[in-house]
Every structure is written in C-alpha cells, then in structure tokens.
Amino acid sequence: MDRETERYRSLTRRALVLGGVQTGLFGALAARMYYLQVVERERYQVLAEENRINIRLSVPSRGRIVDRFGVPLAVNNQNFRVVLVAEEAGDVEETLDRLSRIVTLTDFERRRALRDIGRRRAFVPVTLVENLGWRQVARLEANAPRLPGISIEVGELRHYPHGPATAHILGHVGAVSESELTGDPVLALPGFRIGKTGVERQLEENLRGEAGASQVEVNALGRVIRELQRDEGTPGADVRLTIDIGLQEYVQDRLRAERSAAAVILDVETGEVFAMASQPSFDPNQFTTGISMDAWNGLVNDPHGPLNNKAITGQYAPGSTFKMLVALAALEEGVIGPGYQAWCPGFLELGNHRFHCWRRGGHGWTALAEAISQSCDVYFYEVSRRIGIEKIAAMAHRFGLGLRTGIDLPGEKEGLMPTRAWKQAALGQPWQPGETLIAAIGQGYVLATPLQLAVMAARIANGRGQVRPRVTLRLGESGDPVADVPPADLGVSEASLALVRDGMVRVTSSPTGTARWAQIDVAGMEMAGKTGTSQVRRISTAERLSGIIRNEDRPWRLRDHALFVAYAPIQTPRYAAAVVVEHGGSGSRTAAPIARDILLECQQRNPARQLVADAGADAGARPAGSGGSAP
Amino acid sequence: MSLIARLDGSHDEPGMRLAEKVIQLPWTLVLLIGLLAAAGFAMLYSAAHGSMDPWASRQIMRFALGVAMMVVVALVDIRLWLRLAYPFYFLAFASLLAVEVVGFTGMGAQRWIDLGILQLQPSEIMKVAMVLALARYFHGPTLEEVWRPSRLIVPAMIILAPAGLVLKQPDLGTALMLLMVGGAMLFIAGVRLWKFAVVVFAGLSSIPIVWQSLHDYQRDRILTFLDPERDPLGAGYHILQSKIALGSGGVWGKGFLGGTQSHLNFLPERQTDFIFTMLAEEFGLAGGLGLLGLYFLVLVHGVAIGLTSRNHFGRMLALGLTTNIFLYVFINIAMVMGLIPVVGVPLPLISYGGTAMLAVLFALGLIMSVYVHRETRIPRRDFRAGI
C-alpha cells in the first residue's frame, strides 16, 4: 500500500468518524428541539402566554415627622385604592359601570381613568379611586368575580394629624413634577409623593428613603405567581422637630382672631423654635386626599395668603422694635453714655423737614430707659443723626436683620437693612440724611421677618452669642440632643445690653411703659419686650394738622402693622418671641397681649426642659418626663 | 475574468477553461446556500417587525457581494490557495494582533477593526485562515511523519497562537472554536488518538487554573449555564426567554411575524445570536428541523467534497472548513436551546452581521474550489515547481 493511499484511507476513516459525531450532535439538537417544542410545549406555551417577569419598585415608607417630645405630626395612613388593568378587564366601560355601583366614581375620575388607560399599555395598572373606606373595600372584595381587572392595592397616604396648626412648618407632599425628576427611579412611580414645601421639602432626602425592588413573575391576570428576589429598600428616616405641638397649637389658636398674623417663639440659648404660627392657615390633608378646584382657588386667591408661612416670608417694617439696635449701636460707639438725655419737643427738624414723635406734645428730657419704654421717636432721631446709618446697619446685622437667619426651612426671606451702598446700587440714588432718622424708628426701607425679630429678641436676651434658629432637632446616636456648635460671638458689651434690657423691662413694668397692660402676672414669669407700630401709609402734613385718623377708622388695608418682640423670664431669659399682626393697629394694644399669652403658655409648658443637657443655671431644667409647669 | 484565466494556467493538467469550471461548480450546494440565506432574510424581516429596514435589506446586499466573492474564490486554482495559505494566515494573525492595538471595544470586548466601510472581526477571518494553514501543513507529511511528536509542534503553534490572542480579547467562544476546529483537523490528519487523550487529560486537570484566570462575566456565564435559576433576570434570563419562545412555538409555530416572545422584546439579540429562536418560534419544530436539515445537507456536501478530492490539501481544507461551519451551527443552536453556555456565535448565513457572512461565504467558496479542482493532483513536495 503506497503512502498516499495509506494516508487517504486514514483520513477517510477519521473523516467519517468525525462526520458521524457531527451527525450525532445534530441529532442531539433535533432531539432537544423535539423535547422543547413537543414534549414541553404546553408548559412553555403557558409561560409565553402568562409568564412575564416584572421588576416592581416598592415605594419606601416615608419617614414620620414628630415634635420634640415624639408626638406624631406627619404620619402615613393606609390608603386603599382601586386599580384597573385594562387587558384583564375586557370591556373597560362595562367594568367601570359595575364598579360605580359600589364606589362612587365621579365623571372627572371616570374621564381621567379612560384617558390614562388610553395612554398606557394594556397591562399597566391604572389607579381609579383612592382612599377607600373599609366598607367599600369589603364590598369590592365580595364582588371581585364580577369585576375582572379590578384589584385593590394598599398604599400609604401622608396624614397630618394636627392639620392647620402645623401646615406651614411641615409643608406638604405632592405629585412629582417634571423638574423634580432626578436619577432616583422611585420618583417616576405613579402616585409617588415628594415634599413640596416646609420640612417635607427641606428634609426630603432624609424622609424619602430608598425604593425596594421585587422581581416577580406575574401571570396574564396580573397576579404574582412567585417572587424571585426581593430588596426591601430602606424606609425614610423619622425626623424630630424642635416644635412643641401643644404650644404650637396654642399659638396658632391664639392668632385665629386676627385676619393675618404671624408669631414665633424660640429658645434664646439654642435657637430651637418651639412654635411658629402663621394666620390664616389651611389643612394640608386636603392636598393629599385631593382638593377641589374651588377650594384650591380659594386658597390661592385669598389676599391674606394662607399658603404662605408669614413667619419667614412676611417682610414688615419693624417699627419701634428696631430701636434697641439703634441704642446699642450708639452705646457701643460711645456716642451716648448711660446718662445721656435727649430733649423731645414732639419733633426734630433736620434741614427744612420736621420729623414727628408719635406723641404730639413730646416727651421732654428723655433718657434711654424712658426712650425705649415710652418709645420716644425724637430720642432715636437724635441718636441716629449722630452715628449715621452705617453703624446702625452693622449692629442690625449682628442681631440678624437684613440677613437670612439660616433656619432649616425653604423659602426664607432676608428682609432688608438699608445702607448707603445698598441704596446706590438698588435705587441709583444717594442716601438722604433724613432717611437715617426714618430707619432709626424701623420705618422707610427697613424690613424684617417675624422670625428675624424673634432672633433679634433672643440675641438681646442671650447677650453672648448669635443664636441661630432651627426647627429640626439635632440628635446624637444615643437619641439625646446634641449640643449645638457654639454660635458666633455677639460682640456687644454686657453694660450696653443691660441698659437696653432695662428699657425693655420697663415697657411692660413701668406705669408709663407702652405695654404696661400686657405684663405677665405670674411671679417669676414676667416678660420684657418692645412694642412696634409700623405705618403702611404716609401721613400727610395736612392730616397731621387736622388730627391723625385713628386706626379703627381707616380701612383695614391702611391700618398700621402691630408688632411686639419679647423675652421671658426677665431674670433668666429662656424664651424669646415675636408677634406681627398685619394691620393690627397698635403694637401695644394688639400684638403685646398675644405675646404675653403665648409666652406665659410657653413658660408653663416649659418645652426647653428636656433639652438642656447640662441643667446648670437654668431654673426651668427638669428631669425628662416630669412634665408640668415651670417655677 | 482575465485574472482567473491567468491564475488558471496549469501545465501538467488538462487545462480547464473558465466556462468548464463554472459548469463544474457544485450547484446543489449553491442552491442550499441560497435557501439558507433566504430563510435568514425572512427572519431579519420579521425581527424588524415586518420591515426590510434596518436589517434584511443590508443583509441581502452583503449576501450578493459575498456570493460573488464565493464564486471567484471557487474558481481560483486550488494550487494558488495552497501557495497563499501561509501568507493569508500571517495576514490574519497580524490583523488579530492589530486588534490589540487599534481595535476598539464592541459589545464589551475588543473584537473589531474599523475599516471605515465595514468593521472587520479578525477572529472570524482567522477561523478560515487557520484551516488553510493547517491544510497546507498536512499536505506534505506522510502518515508516519504525522505520527512523530516533533511534527506536531508547528500545527500546535498555528492553533494556539491565535487562540491565545482571541482568549485575551477576551472572546472565550471563538477561542474554543479555534481549538476545536484545530483539534478536528489534527484528528483527520491522522494524529494518534492517545495524544488527544493526553491533551484532554491535561485540559481537564488545568480547569482549576483556567477557572482562576476567567473573567467574572465568563464565570457567571458558566455558572448560570449550570444553574440558570441562579440569575433569572440576568444572563439566565436570555436563555429562559429563548426556551420559552422555542417551546411555545410547538410543532408548526406561531406563523410568520407571529412570534410573541420575539416581538414583545422578551428575546434579546433576536437579529443576531438568537435568530434561530425566532425562527423556531414562528415556524415551530418543522421550521427548526427544516433549517437543521439544510445545514446537514451542506455539511454532507462538504464531507463528500473532501473525500472526493485527489489532493490532500483539498481534502484537509474541505473537511476542516466543514467542521468549522458545523461548529458555528451547533454552538449557536445548542446555546439558544440551553444546552451549552451563552457564547456569542452567529448562525452562519442567517444571523445579521457583515464579517461572519463574508467569512462563511469565503469558506464555502474554498470548499467549492476544492470541488472544482478535485481532479488536480499536487505532489506532496516541490509542488511549487508545477505552477
């Protein structure tokens, strides 16, 4: 056998073996095909028809918001809602007809449902009705066989047990808008709610949590056959506020008599806000359960702005509540001394203009204490003329005016503390000497929010640091309050502050004080304060000659704003407050009594009691849980 | 025309004119190729939900181009292919090396060279080039010579060098294919069986080491293959969905354009690697077996051509390329049916893709050249003298 033949035979043999193996493998393929397509056919047909693997995101439970003592302010209620899967329903119209015999389905809801069904793919569930009651749920379950494609899902609904009392601080949640869509996939879930205002918005990140994901096999009826994998997600963290809900409700209630007002009470040491109220208010629960068009328009068009938190967004001329800062600027600059007196004949002339004191006859020779307690305008005209607007503005900034306080709430306004540079930049005009005088009595360009005024009062009472306000409680890992970073030094001498405080004490204590009828008559709880009445219109010379029209005789919109800032108790100040009543007429008659009532209530509740890590000098400090009233 | 005529000029053979060669072409094989390609066009049309765009129209153009090339390749004298075998191999190897340098990452791995008009996959070219080179090498030695271990050094390098490069890309599927085709050629060349046993034993005992060097995604694929339930939403998802699509097709299928799984996008890569699934879903067991039958006839042709050639180069070439095509078909179909791990191997003549189509038609052209020149005798040594 020659070599070539030998080689060819070997090759042929092996090629046939290889071909045989290949044929065998092809046979295996054919067998496998037969197995899948004939033997297992039914199983795979069922799977193909019914089996869909879905990844379902589960909405994380939103964190609760509680007050400083743990009372729930924002919670999640169970929300039973009816959903429809169009491809299972068959005749959607008929199913809706049957459904409407059990659950009231408004025309609007019906149209919205049909629209949603039209837009989405047939196997995507569409929400028809939310917030079912137990009875409706039971009836739906009983009628389930007659309602193909209809199922009941349980979701969560934000609920605010205290409604209007906490509306402005907490804000509310609402549907995610286009601009709010970030990378977080949970935001795209239908029906997901995001914080729109207030704490709900400020602490959205903390409250939201992380979406869970479950991978499920669902059949053609939309029922989950089995869960393949589940990631529970992380519920949102609870948030604890500095608010004392009891006090908050009291303050909100106390303002109810007024058409438009705001009040703030905070801790002069820590800046923790115990209560912050804005009148009128609204019930945020309307938004989560669906608000009618009329009710919505009513809220939006109400001239008193119920949706605004006036405590941080309302900007008012502070009026005479500003005078302490002028006094402090002058004392610190050495322009006036403790014994300085100004002569008040009822007016001061500067150039060819006459600046009037609120008391036509004047106050005669007036020292600082009387100038504050009787709110003599001419005294402050004279002092401000000597130190100028820049020094006043610098002092005002130290006490928080004209700057955002940095409170942890969205939308805070910064007010306005005018300076020469500001006027040149904003209005393109040079500063007029007379404008310094106007600013010195908190009029003209000066604007402040009620929160800023409360902070100012707190800093005067504290005297050491630039206390910063906040509404969320800082808690350490153990759950105890964490000491705040020491605030920046106020940089004002105690001697000057003592003189000013003395004037503020006399406002409520002296027989000639402007708020003498508003002193707290509980021993050890007395308050010091300052009235403010700020004009919202110009008083003409003619009117001044013929007698200024009394507030009560003017239309509401033209009446003066009534303001009062205060702290208590006098000896060891712990609480500071500011009250602003829009067009309330007079600070002493309208605002001061409110301040008196809320500060008394506050001291009796003593919300600061549990938060003092080191009781130290504070008389109000008590062991946790003792409750009751302060000494 | 003139090129082919010139290349055709042989002295020691009764010269064949071009027209004779064309008549000599294996026309049944051409018909089978046309049928397979037509099935591919239909499936691409269906994959695009009943549209020629974006796949079917381009595939038809490529096929027309490829068939023209195939005929030219078939008419080129087999001895020229013998002479060109090594240069062609080195060219393919160089371009494979170039991928490491200029290639960019496509589909998560470096596999492409962009030539502007088409992206070239050197690894596809290499599959053909390696067979050419091995056939060229084994044309010379006698059976006794093949049995000598020293005679296995060069072919081992011819196989392992490109396989190593491809593995580095990393493309486990192609590397394994190169090894299998190379092994098959050594087998038909007459290498002693105990040597295969040694290699297989060495291979098995090196599994732990290989396992260590695998990429995570490769380990994942193997683990998922062994237990698809392990990752029903990741890699196992594809196979699960593919099996559902296939199985639900039944005996007669859901009808052309009627594949619910495919058309609801449950099926991944339905125009490339998973195109057989779609065919079997829409045309059922009948369609699947029909396609398998067509491939089987192609392979039978290939083996028959290999066994009828009068030159050893032609035999080795035709049998090696047939094995190559077999592996494409088997790996792809076995993969979509969940018999072997998911490896990215296209279905020849059916899957959408330029290089694969051209490479397969080139290989078929070579097989045809073997057939056309089956009577040509080539001396074992000094064959150059004849040309």
Side-chain angles (χ1 to χ4, degrees), chain B residues 23-328:
Chain B
I23 294 166
Q24 284 291 320
L25 281 173
W27 286 104
T28 0
L29 185 55
V30 175
L31 179 71
L32 289 171
I33 290 166
L35 284 175
L36 281 168
F41 304 149
M43 290 336 291
L44 290 176
Y45 177 80
S46 177
H49 309 300
S51 163
M52 292 300 282
D53 292 317
W55 298 308
S57 55
R58 295 178 64 185
Q59 185 84 341
I60 289 171
M61 283 169 60
R62 283 171 182 166
F63 180 70
L65 200 76
V67 163
M69 180 196 70
M70 176 181 78
V71 171
V72 171
V73 168
L75 298 180
V76 170
D77 193 295
I78 189 79
R79 285 165 294 188
L80 187 67
W81 288 122
L82 180 62
R83 274 211 313 182
L84 287 177
Y86 284 154
F88 188 74
Y89 176 83
F90 285 120
L91 203 68
F93 190 75
S95 56
L96 205 53
L97 265 178
V99 170
E100 293 286 318
V101 187
V102 297
F104 62 90
T105 300
M107 304 291 286
Q110 279 197 337
R111 288 170 199 183
W112 307 81
I113 287 184
D114 198 345
L115 291 182
I117 48 163
L118 98 159
Q119 291 167 336
L120 202 64
Q121 271 180 286
S123 58
E124 293 291 334
I125 309 293
M126 181 45 92
K127 286 173 194 161
V128 179
M130 190 189 74
V131 173
L132 267 170
L134 287 172
R136 160 77 179 80
Y137 180 82
F138 284 112
H139 178 72
T142 64
L143 204 52
E144 282 102 49
E145 283 169 336
V146 168
W147 291 343
R148 280 182 214 146
S150 61
R151 275 289 185 168
L152 291 179
I153 294 170
V154 174
M157 283 175 63
I158 290 176
I159 298 166
L160 292 178
L165 268 183
V166 168
L167 193 62
K168 196 164 173 284
Q169 283 183 354
D171 184 352
L172 183 64
T174 305
L176 284 173
M177 256 186 90
L178 287 172
L179 289 179
M180 284 188 279
V181 173
M185 289 198 71
L186 294 184
F187 175 74
I188 54 176
V191 174
R192 291 289 198 182
L193 289 177
W194 64 264
K195 287 176 186 149
F196 288 97
V198 167
V199 170
V200 166
F201 179 78
L204 285 178
S205 52
S206 72
I207 282 178
I209 301 159
V210 173
W211 184 254
Q212 289 297 317
S213 67
L214 286 180
H215 283 253
D216 279 349
Y217 86 96
Q218 290 165 330
R219 287 187 203 176
D220 257 8
R221 281 180 175 183
I222 292 167
L223 288 175
T224 304
F225 163 66
L226 296 173
D227 178 20
E229 296 284 310
R230 193 175 152 266
D231 185 15
L233 292 142
Y237 176 87
H238 294 172
I239 286 305
L240 183 62
Q241 292 301 336
S242 178
K243 278 157 74 175
I244 291 171
L246 264 158
S248 61
V251 177
W252 300 109
K254 298 175 186 170
F256 188 47
L257 302 179
T260 53
Q261 291 280 305
S262 318
H263 289 278
L264 288 175
N265 295 332
F266 280 110
L267 196 60
E269 299 286 327
R270 61 180 184 278
Q271 81 280 13
T272 55
D273 291 354
F274 283 87
I275 196 162
F276 181 80
T277 305
M278 197 173 63
L279 180 134
E281 187 188 12
E282 300 196 345
F283 296 105
L285 182 67
L289 288 180
L291 195 79
L292 211 57
L294 283 177
Y295 279 121
F296 185 70
L297 289 177
V298 169
L299 298 178
V300 166
H301 266 79
V303 173
I305 288 171
L307 294 181
T308 50
S309 175
R310 289 195 179 273
N311 56 75
H312 203 67
F313 172 70
R315 295 169 196 148
M316 291 293 296
L317 185 60
L319 292 172
L321 292 173
T322 304
T323 303
N324 191 13
I325 293 172
F326 163 80
L327 282 174
Y328 271 112

Side-chain angles (χ1 to χ4, degrees), chain A residues 582-625:
Chain A
E582 281 187 25
H583 310 294
S586 146
S588 69
R589 294 280 176 192
T590 313
I594 296 175
R596 172 197 63 201
D597 291 349
I598 64 177
L599 271 176
L600 175 59
E601 177 73 14
C602 180
Q603 291 179 86
Q604 283 171 344
R605 303 184 63 87
N606 195 20
R609 64 182 184 266
Q610 283 176 318
L611 288 187
V612 184
D614 175 6
D618 192 275
R622 290 215 180 159

Side-chain angles (χ1 to χ4, degrees), chain A residues 166-430:
Chain A
T166 54
H168 295 112
I169 298 167
L170 299 181
H172 60 271
V173 293
V176 183
S177 72
E178 208 65 41
S179 61
E180 286 165 332
L181 282 175
T182 53
D184 194 341
V186 77
L187 293 180
L189 287 179
F192 188 77
R193 299 282 195 273
I194 192 173
K196 290 292 183 181
T197 54
V199 170
E200 293 273 29
R201 174 167 163 192
Q202 184 78 23
L203 296 175
E204 172 64 27
E205 305 277 302
N206 307 39
L207 291 165
R208 185 190 298 164
E210 277 168 31
S214 58
Q215 298 161 344
V216 291
E217 272 182 40
V218 286
N219 68 8
L221 299 173
R223 298 225 164 74
V224 174
I225 297 170
R226 65 183 175 134
E227 205 167 57
L228 299 169
Q229 205 179 325
R230 188 180 185 83
D231 166 18
E232 287 296 340
T234 318
D238 284 358
V239 167
R240 203 161 151 195
L241 300 187
T242 60
I243 300 297
D244 173 356
I245 185 60
L247 183 64
Q248 175 72 24
E249 288 207 304
Y250 178 86
V251 174
Q252 187 71 43
D253 204 51
R254 182 64 184 80
L255 294 181
R256 194 152 293 154
E258 309 300 334
R259 285 199 231 183
S260 184
V264 178
I265 299 185
L266 44 74
D267 189 310
V268 304
E269 298 292 337
T270 64
E272 290 173 355
V273 175
F274 297 125
M276 174 187 282
S278 181
Q279 163 69 17
S281 188
F282 63 97
D283 186 356
N285 293 313
Q286 292 174 79
F287 294 138
T288 46
T289 57
I291 184 170
S292 74
M293 216 55 189
D294 284 350
W296 170 249
N297 286 333
L299 284 174
V300 170
N301 297 327
D302 187 328
H304 304 319
L307 295 176
N308 298 333
N309 183 358
K310 285 193 273 276
I312 57 170
T313 63
Q315 302 183 97
Y316 308 95
S320 302
T321 61
F322 186 72
K323 286 173 179 169
M324 283 84 80
L325 303 183
V326 179
L328 284 172
L331 287 167
E332 289 293 290
E333 282 299 313
V335 172
I336 59 171
Y340 170 79
Q341 290 193 327
W343 171 252
C344 170
F347 60 86
L348 180 141
E349 281 183 334
L350 185 73
N352 55 4
H353 196 278
R354 182 172 280 195
F355 293 84
H356 292 273
C357 188
W358 67 271
R359 181 188 267 185
R360 287 193 74 180
H363 293 89
W365 282 107
T366 311
L368 176 58
E370 283 73 41
I372 291 177
S373 69
Q374 297 179 29
S375 205
C376 172
D377 292 335
V378 168
Y379 178 94
F380 290 98
Y381 291 152
E382 177 59 32
V383 168
S384 69
R385 195 176 60 77
R386 296 191 185 191
I387 55 172
I389 188 66
E390 300 299 327
K391 300 283 189 220
I392 296 173
M395 185 57 70
H397 283 154
R398 280 198 227 174
F399 284 83
L401 268 61
L403 304 166
R404 287 201 179 85
T405 64
I407 191 166
D408 40 4
L409 284 175
E412 186 195 6
K413 292 280 198 296
E414 65 180 5
L416 179 61
M417 184 61 233
T419 59
R420 291 170 189 277
W422 167 81
K423 194 185 175 194
Q424 193 65 47
L427 303 174
Q429 292 164 1

Side-chain angles (χ1 to χ4, degrees), chain A residues 7-8 14 32 37 53 215, chain B residues 141 187 191 233 307 337:
Chain A
R7 192 166 72 155
Y8 178 64
R14 291 205 169 181
R32 175 70 170 176
Q37 299 195 289
I53 294 173
Q215 298 161 344
Chain B
F187 175 74
V191 174
L233 292 142
L307 294 181
M337 292 198 296

